Amino acid sequence: MFKKKASFGLAFLLAAGTLLGACGGADEEGTGSGEGNNKGKDLKVGMVTDAGTIDDKSFNQGTWEGILAAKEELGIQEKYLKPAGTTEAEYLKEMGNLYDADYKFIVAPGFKFETAIYQAQSKYEDAKFVILDGNPHKGDFVPAVADNTVAVFFAEHESGFLAGVATALELKEGEAGFIGGMEIPAVQKFNWGFQQGLAYANENLGTNFTIKEDNVVYQGSFDNVAAGQQIAAQMYDRGVNVIFAAAGGVGVGAFNEAKTRVKAGDDVWMVGVDVDQYSEGIYEGEKSVTLTSAMKKLAHATQELIERELDGDFPGGETLTYDVKNDGVGIPEENPNLSEETVNKVKEVFEQIKSGEIKVSGEQGNLIK
């Protein structure tokens, strides 16, 4: 069913700026009409952004790229709205604005939309909703996915594992660190998977990588850039060679610290999260501190669900998990800082996870934090 992987980059988004028609501030929006085939010409797909916008190199961008891919492939119409803030009321306002403009297939990227989607799915019963990384609920955290809503989750531990294997294989030996944002399951699973990937490489692939408890830190937010830079500086000072950051804006601070140090001659690296964060790590020309990224294939999931709606197969009422088996997680297809040998070995490990030969746990067990 899924014809083409969405892999549009930031450069495409910026080049398409006139088409998107974004205007700053509250109620920022972008819109256009499809130029692909006519299958989806009558479907209007709307997105409400979380903090940031569609070029945030993270959740918003990955989701929007899937919508743009559906536009190219299927001819849908698309629009995004950026709320004035990140409250339930502000999210609901923009969902209502989309609905009033006849955009009745609405995608929301992130767990912060959970209570807003819970309200919207009953208020707009003839609309369809997709929430990524969250379950609708009314505040009691009891999932309530209505028949017009799909909740999508990702196997973060599997992509973290693959990034851990890639890191250990490429660098051979050293010390790793992990910086998380809020201590929530999605972030924790990235951490636990990464630790398992390092351990697997040590035990099976001849590497020697360690990670210590002091170098696994949850900052507590997703927007404190300064704190992220400070935590990364402390880790690098303790001898850490590479940091995996699953932390939003906190991770941006860690990237800033890595770039500063590399410019000064230090040999340090970052591992990105959610989307391919190679561009986030660029410090000179095309050179980047990003070794690889543990990806949730947000664009893939978004485009696939749009196509399922057009095929009359919208899985309303369901909670879906995108993992290795359905190509929902992984590392980027292009990894300029990884050798061909490393990339090929990670592909082998990917297939071993898919076949069940390698099992990656989504639980902490005896892992750090």
Side-chain angles (χ1 to χ4, degrees):
M1 179 185 299
F2 182 69
K3 298 185 179 69
K4 180 179 179 182
K5 291 180 181 176
S7 58
F8 301 89
L10 178 59
F12 171 84
L13 290 172
L14 295 177
T18 55
L19 176 66
L20 300 179
C23 54
D27 296 321
E28 180 179 333
E29 66 177 77
T31 183
S33 58
E35 297 179 355
N37 67 44
N38 290 323
K39 180 179 180 181
K41 65 183 178 63
D42 295 324
L43 181 63
K44 293 185 173 183
V45 177
M47 170 183 159
V48 180
T49 70
D50 194 3
T53 187
I54 48 88
D55 60 356
D56 66 354
K57 305 174 188 174
S58 189
F59 238 72
N60 290 308
Q61 180 174 329
T63 305
W64 183 244
E65 286 177 353
I67 293 172
L68 291 181
K71 170 187 171 181
E72 181 186 36
E73 289 271 323
L74 306 165
I76 65 159
Q77 298 178 60
E78 88 294 342
K79 185 184 189 77
Y80 75 86
L81 294 177
K82 179 183 177 181
T86 57
T87 66
E88 176 186 299
E90 287 160 333
Y91 291 148
L92 279 170
K93 175 186 174 184
E94 302 309 344
M95 289 180 197
N97 286 337
L98 286 171
Y99 181 88
D100 291 343
D102 210 29
Y103 284 80
K104 295 183 179 180
F105 189 103
I106 297 172
V107 185
F111 74 96
K112 291 182 181 179
F113 288 91
E114 289 178 329
T115 59
I117 290 289
Y118 175 83
Q119 300 289 341
Q121 66 187 6
S122 58
K123 184 175 182 179
Y124 307 112
E125 292 184 352
D126 61 332
K128 301 286 179 64
F129 296 92
V130 175
I131 178 169
L132 302 172
D133 251 16
N135 257 323
H137 63 82
K138 61 181 179 180
D140 53 8
F141 297 100
V142 177
V145 185
D147 289 342
N148 59 338
T149 298
V150 175
V152 175
F153 289 91
F154 296 86
E156 294 91 356
H157 50 295
E158 292 181 349
S159 59
F161 184 94
L162 292 165
V165 170
T167 296
L169 279 171
E170 191 62 32
L171 301 183
K172 307 301 183 190
E173 62 181 3
E175 184 83 24
F178 174 83
I179 300 175
M182 296 175 69
E183 197 167 350
I184 58 175
V187 177
Q188 291 171 308
K189 288 195 291 182
F190 273 128
N191 168 30
W192 299 333
F194 186 67
Q195 291 182 50
Q196 290 174 77
L198 296 176
Y200 178 86
N202 289 343
E203 294 166 10
N204 299 279
L205 303 174
T207 65
N208 183 22
F209 245 89
T210 57
I211 185 166
K212 298 175 182 175
E213 187 169 358
D214 286 351
N215 294 323
V216 177
V217 176
Y218 295 95
Q219 193 277 325
S221 77
F222 291 109
D223 57 7
N224 194 331
V225 176
Q229 183 156 0
Q230 181 181 31
I231 293 168
Q234 292 168 347
M235 288 188 184
Y236 288 135
D237 286 345
R238 288 195 291 265
V240 165
N241 308 97
V242 56
I243 294 172
F244 176 26
V250 177
V252 171
F255 270 95
N256 290 343
E257 181 64 22
K259 289 185 281 189
T260 297
R261 291 190 176 231
V262 168
K263 287 178 183 177
D266 291 352
D267 184 19
V268 298
W269 295 94
M270 290 291 302
V271 173
V273 75
D274 289 338
V275 297
D276 182 357
Q277 289 195 305
Y278 187 86
S279 62
E280 183 68 50
I282 289 178
Y283 61 93
E284 177 185 315
E286 293 300 312
K287 296 179 181 178
S288 174
V289 299
T290 306
L291 194 64
T292 189
S293 299
M295 293 177 61
K296 300 178 182 181
K297 297 188 179 179
L298 300 157
H300 168 80
T302 302
Q303 182 182 355
E304 184 170 83
L305 287 168
I306 293 169
E307 186 160 353
R308 289 186 68 173
E309 165 67 5
L310 291 171
D311 289 341
D313 185 36
F314 184 75
E318 295 185 23
T319 298
L320 307 180
T321 298
Y322 280 78
D323 55 16
V324 161
K325 290 182 179 179
N326 56 19
D327 198 32
V329 298
I331 65 171
E333 293 184 8
E334 295 184 10
N335 297 269
N337 285 324
L338 298 183
S339 69
E340 184 178 356
E341 180 182 4
T342 294
V343 170
N344 288 337
K345 179 57 69 173
V346 173
K347 287 179 180 178
E348 290 179 19
V349 171
F350 182 97
E351 292 302 323
Q352 288 174 304
I353 297 173
K354 181 178 283 190
S355 70
E357 183 179 345
I358 295 175
K359 297 187 184 300
V360 185
S361 175
E363 304 293 331
Q364 179 177 0
N366 60 0
L367 301 166
I368 301 170
K369 297 182 183 178

